[in-house]
């Protein structure tokens, strides 16, 4: 019997708990970890599973999910003892800038401060622990939507130190949709201010942070709103950054569905006779040397509704290189 398709669900835990349709991408955990890169930026189009994969990483590494082998049993990452032992052993800081879509710099900065404050609130249990000194507790209380800019840009770095002292391990930082504020800044005329703020935040979080074990950022494939030179200025201090684009060989099959995965899904849903029709309808997306990578949003909507449609085009604002006409 085919599993239920949960449209728009980006919560790895609920997908696994309810046994919703899921294409196993846990091999990405091993691939990313064994590359050993300090800070990784992965650019992929919208609706290619970035947020779900980030959520998966959080659930795998976070100490808050220690002992949750039920989420990974039966998936490929659980086949190796090394990774079974690694699950749930790191403090993880997870944040997303997806909702930072403001028309002024002040409001955008306040929204980013609000997101950072919510991360601190997530770890508020540390205030009741003896391992935090009074100075650290006082810093904790400074974190708010109205905090000073210098406090905000240092906040994730400081939290990394606090978590290191509490757990005795360096932290993993996951930042989803890092570039949403940059898009809005360009469109609404506060680009330079946003670049300055973000550069300081990234430097303190990803470059000069001695308590960082690994970090992963995601964004869309092509930021058509700004030149490459302008974006590079934001990352000018991050010489420890590994950038993975759609033309990179790394992680090509970790985001999006391969043709084999699509055909396996069609078999599960009793649609094996429509493989060629689906292939002609979608016609793949070019990632490096692999052309047949399918947009998950199109495929899961097709599995759910049983009919072809322009699912991805109708929901995405990407302007994409390598995308063939006729793709869904």
């Amino acid at each position: 019997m085919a599993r239920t398709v949960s449209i728009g669900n980006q919560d790895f835990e609920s997908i696994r708990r309810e046994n919703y349709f899921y294409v196993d991408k846990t091999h990405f955990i091993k691939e990313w970890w064994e590359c050993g890169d300090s800070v990784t930026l992965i650019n992929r189009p919208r609706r290619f599973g970035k947020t779900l994969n980030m959520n998966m990483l959080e659930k795998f590494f976070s100490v808050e999910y220690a002992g949750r082998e039920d989420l990974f049993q039966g998936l490929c990452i659980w086949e190796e003892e090394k990774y079974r032992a690694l699950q749930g052993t790191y403090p993880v800081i997870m944040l997303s800038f997806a909702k930072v879509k403001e028309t002024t710099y002040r409001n955008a900065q306040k929204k980013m401060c609000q997101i950072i404050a919510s991360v601190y609130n997530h770890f508020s249990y540390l205030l009741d622990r003896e391992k935090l000194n009074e100075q650290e507790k006082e810093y904790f209380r400074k974190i708010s939507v109205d905090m000073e800019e210098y406090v905000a840009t240092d906040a994730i770095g400081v939290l990394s130190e606090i978590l290191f002292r509490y757990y005795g391990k360096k932290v993993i930082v996951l930042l989803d949709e890092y570039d949403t504020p940059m898009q809005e800044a360009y469109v609404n005329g506060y680009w330079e201010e946003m670049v300055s703020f973000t550069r300081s935040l990234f430097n303190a979080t990803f470059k000069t942070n001695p308590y960082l074990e690994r970090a992963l950022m995601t964004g869309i494939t092509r930021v058509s709103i700004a030149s490459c030179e302008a974006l590079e200025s934001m990352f000018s201090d991050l010489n420890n950054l590994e950038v993975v684009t759609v033309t990179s060989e790394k992680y090509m099959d970790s985001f999006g569905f391969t043709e084999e995965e699509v055909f396996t899904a069609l078999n599960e849903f009793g649609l094996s006779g429509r493989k060629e029709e689906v292939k002609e309808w979608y016609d793949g997306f070019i990632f490096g040397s692999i052309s047949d990578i399918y947009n998950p949003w199109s495929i899961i909507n097709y599995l759910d509704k049983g009919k072809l449609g322009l699912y991805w085009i109708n929901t995405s604002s990407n302007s994409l290189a390598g995308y063939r006409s006729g793709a869904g």
Side-chain angles (χ1 to χ4, degrees), residues 199-240:
R199 184 192 295 122
S200 295
L201 173 65
F202 285 5
N203 184 67
T205 301
F206 302 120
K207 176 61 178 177
T208 61
N209 184 356
Y211 306 101
L212 179 69
E213 178 66 37
R214 303 275 180 90
L216 179 65
M217 293 185 279
T218 66
I220 64 172
T221 298
R222 175 187 291 172
V223 183
S224 58
I225 60 172
S227 67
C228 293
E229 290 79 11
L231 280 176
E232 286 173 0
S233 70
M234 190 170 63
F235 296 113
S236 58
D237 295 332
L238 299 184
N239 57 11
N240 60 335

Side-chain angles (χ1 to χ4, degrees), residues 228-281:
C228 293
E229 290 79 11
L231 280 176
E232 286 173 0
S233 70
M234 190 170 63
F235 296 113
S236 58
D237 295 332
L238 299 184
N239 57 11
N240 60 335
L241 178 67
E242 169 72 1
V243 180
V244 181
T245 68
V246 293
T247 60
S248 303
E249 294 295 317
K250 279 187 176 182
Y251 314 131
M252 283 191 297
D253 61 348
S254 296
F255 298 82
F257 295 164
T258 65
E259 188 165 274
E260 180 180 358
E261 289 167 341
V262 171
F263 287 178
T264 298
L266 292 176
N267 290 339
E268 178 179 338
F269 283 79
L271 298 168
S272 57
R274 305 191 69 180
K275 292 177 182 178
E276 290 306 312
E277 181 182 8
V278 168
K279 181 177 174 63
E280 182 178 354
W281 159 65

Side-chain angles (χ1 to χ4, degrees), residues 29-307:
I29 298 171
K30 177 181 178 180
E31 189 176 3
W32 177 62
W33 195 251
E34 295 190 354
C35 278
D37 298 322
S38 178
V39 183
T40 306
L41 167 60
I42 297 179
N43 285 327
R44 286 293 185 271
R46 297 190 191 281
R47 307 292 187 178
F48 267 78
K50 299 186 300 297
T51 298
L52 178 56
N53 271 5
M54 293 286 268
N55 192 273
M56 172 189 72
L57 286 178
E58 179 190 17
K59 301 303 188 292
F60 184 80
F61 285 106
S62 175
V63 292
E64 297 176 40
Y65 283 82
R68 291 302 308 275
E69 62 271 5
D70 58 298
L71 298 179
F72 298 93
Q73 286 176 342
L75 301 177
C76 65
I77 193 64
W78 213 247
E79 295 174 1
E80 296 189 41
E81 183 177 351
K82 171 184 175 181
Y83 286 93
R84 293 197 296 272
L86 192 61
Q87 193 273 324
T89 59
Y90 280 89
V92 175
I93 298 173
M94 173 74 187
L95 62 165
S96 171
F97 288 159
K99 294 182 179 180
V100 185
K101 299 181 179 181
E102 311 306 314
T103 58
T104 67
Y105 171 67
R106 178 57 181 156
N107 286 343
Q109 185 210 48
K110 286 175 73 71
K111 179 60 73 69
M112 294 171 79
C113 287
Q114 183 181 55
I115 291 167
I116 293 169
S118 70
V119 171
Y120 266 75
N121 186 59
H122 179 79
F123 292 105
S124 61
Y125 61 85
L126 296 175
L127 289 170
D128 299 325
R129 305 300 195 268
E130 294 181 357
K131 290 188 178 182
L132 266 65
N133 58 43
E134 287 305 315
Q135 183 178 5
E136 290 169 331
K137 291 180 179 180
E138 182 61 29
Y139 188 91
F140 233 97
R141 298 184 184 101
K142 287 182 180 179
I143 305 300
S144 72
V145 66
D146 296 313
M147 65 183 140
E148 296 289 338
E149 186 169 305
Y150 77 92
V151 176
T153 55
D154 282 344
I156 301 302
V158 172
L159 181 58
S160 299
E161 180 179 3
I162 293 172
L163 289 170
F164 171 77
R165 292 186 61 245
Y166 184 79
Y167 287 107
K169 296 190 74 169
K170 293 183 178 183
V171 305
I172 295 172
V173 177
L174 304 174
L175 173 55
D176 196 23
E177 297 206 32
Y178 84 92
D179 52 352
T180 297
M182 309 310 300
Q183 299 173 55
E184 299 302 322
Y186 187 85
V187 170
N188 291 290
Y190 54 90
W191 174 261
E192 294 299 330
E193 294 166 291
M194 181 56 72
V195 167
S196 177
F197 177 80
T198 306
R199 184 192 295 122
S200 295
L201 173 65
F202 285 5
N203 184 67
T205 301
F206 302 120
K207 176 61 178 177
T208 61
N209 184 356
Y211 306 101
L212 179 69
E213 178 66 37
R214 303 275 180 90
L216 179 65
M217 293 185 279
T218 66
I220 64 172
T221 298
R222 175 187 291 172
V223 183
S224 58
I225 60 172
S227 67
C228 293
E229 290 79 11
L231 280 176
E232 286 173 0
S233 70
M234 190 170 63
F235 296 113
S236 58
D237 295 332
L238 299 184
N239 57 11
N240 60 335
L241 178 67
E242 169 72 1
V243 180
V244 181
T245 68
V246 293
T247 60
S248 303
E249 294 295 317
K250 279 187 176 182
Y251 314 131
M252 283 191 297
D253 61 348
S254 296
F255 298 82
F257 295 164
T258 65
E259 188 165 274
E260 180 180 358
E261 289 167 341
V262 171
F263 287 178
T264 298
L266 292 176
N267 290 339
E268 178 179 338
F269 283 79
L271 298 168
S272 57
R274 305 191 69 180
K275 292 177 182 178
E276 290 306 312
E277 181 182 8
V278 168
K279 181 177 174 63
E280 182 178 354
W281 159 65
Y282 187 79
D283 203 23
F285 186 98
I286 298 173
F287 282 91
S289 60
I290 299 179
S291 61
D292 293 320
I293 297 293
Y294 292 72
N295 166 252
W297 184 251
S298 296
I299 299 303
I300 65 173
N301 271 278
Y302 172 70
L303 295 175
D304 181 58
K305 298 170 178 60
K307 62 180 181 179

